[in-house]
Amino acid sequence: DQQVKQNSPSLSVQEGRISILNCDYTNSMFDYFLWYKKYPAEGPTFLISISSIKDKNEDGRFTVFLNKSAKHLSLHIVPSQPGDSAVYFCAASSGGFKTIFGAGTRLFVKA
Amino acid sequence: SQTIHQWPATLVQPVGSPLSLECTVEGTSNPNLYWYRQAAGRGLQLLFYSVGIGQISSEVPQNLSASRPQDRQFILSSKKLLLSDSGFYLCAWIRPPRTEAFFGQGTRLTVV
């Protein structure tokens, strides 16, 4: 039972363009959503988050959008840079107790 | 500042051998601690979490167990490893009421 789904295993984007990573969830009890970035052989690092009471959160080049009615969130990276190439995990939390991760999307940013 | 230590970084073990992976957190108290596994080509699967000493919750039935003997120490164990236990194991902590997790560097376990 996948509560958090990232249906695109990979995404390729040209440097300078926008990267859009998508995530869907099924559990309406989730109240906090997070994005993590992961390089090979390293642990994920926290990138940006959004509370369920908001629909948008922005931090520099990164913006997360939340559509609660559709149970969908997305991460926008503008402009994309080669250093952004990594695996991005969407995650959801209920009361901060435990965090459920999606399968990840590998982003390739081409120079 | 808070840091999380996880060791070893890589481990090759024969089928049927025992396992002990250790994780310690510094610079915080009463953290929630987690063990995740990333199998090849898959996402992060939550294995165990703990909200306090001696308190362990298991998310999936498996060949592994976890223990929390001290506030900032979390141990992942197995009595007899299986080939399917191979993967990248990650320890993480969360300090409520914050919700972002901080991960260790991970342990690459290969069971042969």
Side-chain angles (χ1 to χ4, degrees), chain A residues 51-109:
Chain A
S51 164
S52 60
I53 63 173
K54 296 185 176 181
D55 55 17
K56 178 183 175 180
N57 188 27
E58 190 173 352
D59 183 3
R61 297 186 297 114
F62 303 90
T63 303
V64 56
F65 295 91
L66 176 63
N67 182 334
K68 283 183 292 183
S69 61
K71 292 191 175 67
H72 176 85
L73 65 154
S74 60
L75 174 68
H76 293 210
I77 306 174
V78 182
S80 301
Q81 300 173 354
D84 295 330
S85 297
V87 176
Y88 289 79
F89 288 99
C90 169
S93 170
S94 176
F97 198 53
K98 60 181 181 180
T99 304
I100 305 299
F101 285 79
T105 296
R106 185 177 297 278
L107 174 65
F108 299 93
V109 180

Side-chain angles (χ1 to χ4, degrees), chain A residues 31-32 34 36 38 40-46 49 87 89 93 95-104, chain B residues 32 34 36 38 41-44 46 49 51 59 88 90 94 96 98-106 108:
Chain A
D31 56 6
Y32 221 82
L34 310 97
Y36 290 81
K38 184 182 182 301
E42 294 183 7
T45 54
F46 170 71
S49 63
V87 176
F89 288 99
S93 170
F97 198 53
K98 60 181 181 180
T99 304
I100 305 299
F101 285 79
Chain B
N32 290 349
Y34 304 80
Y36 286 88
Q38 184 183 19
R42 301 184 64 181
L44 299 177
L46 178 61
Y49 65 93
V51 297
E59 285 297 293
F88 191 53
L90 289 155
I94 294 175
R98 302 296 295 269
T99 56
E100 60 267 30
F102 296 91
F103 285 84
Q105 288 297 296
R108 170 72 59 193

